[in-house]
Amino acid sequence: MTFNDYLLLFCGMGAVTYLPRSLPLLYLAHKKLPQGLVDWLGLIPVSILSALLAPLLFCENTQRSLHFGKPEFLVAIPTLAFALKTRSLGGTVLVGMLLYWLASYVL
């Protein structure tokens, strides 16, 4: 393949990747969306974060069975309480890291 073939390939891959993402954004940028749809779209980040964290906190490695005694789950409870009380992202990260470090020595 020549340099021009690679350049055409990269441009085509970029167009195929970004056009399907940017066209709906450009189309919906100045439109007023129904409030129910806006509320539903607001739930997507929470659901994605939950889907990412739940297997780590509740499941064993390969068995996919629930296990509530994992150190990650035990540390997540006081960390969540701290986050809800203080609403501080930096403090929550520090408390979570400190508790996880302590849990590695205690548990």
Side-chain angles (χ1 to χ4, degrees):
M1 288 180 67
T2 65
F3 175 76
N4 288 336
D5 291 338
Y6 279 113
L7 186 62
L8 183 64
L9 179 68
F10 286 133
C11 290
M13 288 189 313
V16 169
T17 301
Y18 290 109
L19 277 179
R21 295 176 183 171
S22 63
L23 288 178
L25 290 175
L26 293 173
Y27 176 72
L28 296 173
H30 300 290
K31 301 239 182 219
K32 177 85 173 145
L33 297 175
Q35 189 59 38
L37 180 62
V38 172
D39 292 342
W40 180 76
L41 289 173
L43 297 175
I44 290 176
V46 174
S47 62
I48 291 173
L49 184 63
S50 298
L52 290 173
L53 289 179
L56 178 71
L57 293 177
F58 302 122
C59 296
E60 284 295 320
N61 294 340
T62 57
Q63 300 169 350
R64 294 292 180 203
S65 61
L66 289 178
H67 185 70
F68 292 105
K70 290 182 67 176
E72 292 88 356
F73 177 70
L74 297 175
V75 168
I77 295 170
T79 305
L80 177 65
F82 180 83
L84 292 175
K85 183 169 178 77
T86 63
R87 304 277 182 192
S88 168
L89 178 62
T92 302
V93 169
L94 287 176
V95 166
M97 290 173 60
L98 177 68
L99 290 175
Y100 190 74
W101 176 71
L102 287 174
S104 68
Y105 286 110
V106 174
L107 300 177

